[in-house]
């Protein structure tokens, strides 16, 4: 996976600059793993007053963003790339490569992990942030190659959506996170991520599951897989249906085994029987000896 250059066209670069300079995004930018440049749309505004919006034809409440500033901004971005404005150490000799011009709007493709991974393979991403009542339709028709939506709700502009995409994309770039850090995250492997715990071991009457305290890597792996299945079944059954048809599921029979265990636990008519069997065998549901406080020694 390469390192796409990201250019953001916005009326409010001051909204994005602090986030891009903070935490993981800030470190990724400082060490050259993430290349992101902000372009002030007002610099490409029309006339002496740098106008970027106007009244809507046909009437209506709110102002519509004019097309000329967006077209001029994208032209300037492309010229900057052609004249050596790419990421350090990367060739920028004029080939357009895989360029995606993304407009954020409600008619767009829903942003999900699959789309983030797809966009991370592009050479160049130009993100167009609309504002006010919307953007002139000709920007969508001619300039944008993609339209992307965060979901079925309304924001005042595209800046928050742009930050969401940049953050999600940056985590996939080589060297931004430790190797393997994104493998078992929610959506990356097809399921919601399993529950996470840290100190204290006991808090407000709640305990860290015994299997996690014992240190048995095989037991921890099985617990994490099953809890990922459980969480996905309860909260995103649509994801679970796709995962059960995937190659990952079909290649590893452990998934079906864990699924059968989970179903017996989740079904009300089976839960009591399952719990009784576990207790009678001297092992509780998280794999520890009943009554030993979870300190059973390993075989």
């Amino acid at each position: 996976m390469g390192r796409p250059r990201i250019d953001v066209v916005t009326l409010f670069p001051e909204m994005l600059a602090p986030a891009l300079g903070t935490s993981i995004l800030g470190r990724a930018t400082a060490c050259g793993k993430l290349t992101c440049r902000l372009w002030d749309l007002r610099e490409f505004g029309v006339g002496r007053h740098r106008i970027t919006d106007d009244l809507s034809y046909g009437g209506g409440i709110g102002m519509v963003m004019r097309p000329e500033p967006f077209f001029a901004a994208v032209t300037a971005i492309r010229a900057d790339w052609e004249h050596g404005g790419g990421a350090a150490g990367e060739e920028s000799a004029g080939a357009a490569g895989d360029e995606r011009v993304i407009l954020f709007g409600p008619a767009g493709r829903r942003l999900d992990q699959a789309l983030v991974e797809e966009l991370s393979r592009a050479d160049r991403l130009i993100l167009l942030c609309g504002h006010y009542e919307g953007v002139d339709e000709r920007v969508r028709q001619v300039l944008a190659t993609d339209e992307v939506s965060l979901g079925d709700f309304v924001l005042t502009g595209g800046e928050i959506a742009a930050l969401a995409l940049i953050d999600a994309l940056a985590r996939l770039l080589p060297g931004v996170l430790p190797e393997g850090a994104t493998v078992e995250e929610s959506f990356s492997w097809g399921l919601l991520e399993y529950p996470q715990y840290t100190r204290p071991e006991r808090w407000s009457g709640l305990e860290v599951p015994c299997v996690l305290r014992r240190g048995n890597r095989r037991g921890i792996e099985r617990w994490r897989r099953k809890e990922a299945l459980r969480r996905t079944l309860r909260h995103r059954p649509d994801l679970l249906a796709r995962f059960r048809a995937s190659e990952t599921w079909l290649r590893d029979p452990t998934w079906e085994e864990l699924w059968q265990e989970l179903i017996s636990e989740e079904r009300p008519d089976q839960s009591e029987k399952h719990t009784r069997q576990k207790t009678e065998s001297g092992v509780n549901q998280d794999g520890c000896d009943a009554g030993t406080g979870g300190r059973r020694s390993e075989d």
Side-chain angles (χ1 to χ4, degrees):
M1 183 184 297
R3 290 186 289 123
R5 164 175 159 165
I6 304 173
D7 293 273
V8 186
V9 180
T10 171
L11 275 173
F12 304 100
E14 63 273 17
M15 287 182 64
L16 290 87
L20 293 174
T22 304
S23 187
I24 292 174
L25 290 181
R27 294 196 297 273
T29 301
C31 68
K33 303 297 183 183
L34 175 66
T35 303
C36 187
R37 181 170 177 183
L38 305 178
W39 298 76
D40 188 344
L41 184 65
R42 200 166 299 281
E43 294 183 3
F44 304 94
V46 177
R48 182 163 58 92
H49 297 291
R50 307 280 186 176
I51 295 172
T52 59
D53 59 355
D54 213 324
L55 297 172
S56 172
Y57 276 109
I61 299 174
M63 305 291 281
V64 176
M65 300 189 73
R66 296 179 61 135
E68 308 99 301
F70 283 105
F71 280 84
V74 170
T75 298
I77 291 170
R78 289 169 176 163
D80 181 67
W81 179 267
E82 301 296 333
H83 290 89
E90 294 183 354
E91 294 184 3
S92 54
D98 182 15
E99 177 189 271
R100 309 282 285 269
V101 181
I102 297 171
L103 177 67
F104 296 101
R109 177 178 169 184
R110 181 74 62 90
L111 183 64
D112 58 16
Q113 192 66 24
L115 179 55
V116 172
E117 292 176 1
E118 176 186 324
L119 294 175
S120 72
R121 294 188 288 270
D123 296 315
R124 297 156 55 177
L125 296 176
I126 302 175
L127 312 184
L128 307 180
C129 299
H131 223 78
Y132 308 125
E133 183 63 22
V135 176
D136 186 286
E137 182 66 18
R138 288 164 288 192
V139 174
R140 179 179 289 104
Q141 291 175 329
V142 179
L143 192 58
T145 62
D146 302 83
E147 187 171 1
V148 172
S149 170
L150 285 190
D152 296 340
F153 53 92
V154 180
L155 297 171
T156 56
E159 288 76 15
I160 292 175
L163 274 177
L165 174 57
I166 294 168
D167 187 280
L169 188 149
R171 306 178 85 260
L172 301 179
L173 301 180
V176 173
L177 295 179
E179 186 176 355
T182 64
V183 173
E184 293 186 352
E185 291 184 317
S186 294
F187 309 113
S188 292
W189 64 334
L191 300 172
L192 298 181
E193 190 176 13
Y194 45 78
Q196 299 277 9
Y197 293 89
T198 186
R199 292 183 176 88
E201 185 175 307
R202 295 177 177 83
W203 181 79
S204 193
L206 302 173
E207 292 190 18
V208 175
C210 165
V211 66
L212 300 180
R213 306 197 303 266
R214 290 172 60 199
N216 183 313
R217 299 312 305 175
R218 182 175 181 276
I220 291 172
E221 175 66 19
R222 287 180 62 86
W223 181 89
R224 285 176 168 174
R225 284 191 178 196
K226 185 157 71 171
E227 292 309 310
L229 287 171
R230 190 190 312 276
R231 177 169 282 183
T232 309
L233 173 64
R234 291 178 175 178
H235 300 287
R236 290 293 304 274
D238 57 314
L239 293 178
L240 183 58
R242 291 198 294 269
F243 183 69
R244 293 188 67 203
S246 70
E247 285 295 320
T248 301
W249 181 284
L250 297 175
R251 284 198 309 264
D252 188 347
T254 304
W255 285 111
E256 183 62 30
E257 178 185 336
L258 293 172
W259 173 248
Q260 294 302 324
E261 290 182 13
L262 176 62
I263 289 300
S264 69
E265 295 170 10
E266 290 290 300
R267 288 176 178 169
D269 59 334
Q270 296 289 333
S271 179
E272 184 178 350
K273 177 181 177 182
H274 179 83
T275 302
R276 185 169 60 253
Q277 289 173 340
K278 288 284 188 178
T279 304
E280 289 172 354
S281 68
V283 180
N284 62 28
Q285 288 192 11
D286 59 7
C288 303
D289 280 347
T292 65
R295 300 300 181 188
R296 184 174 61 172
S297 61
E298 295 300 315
D299 295 332

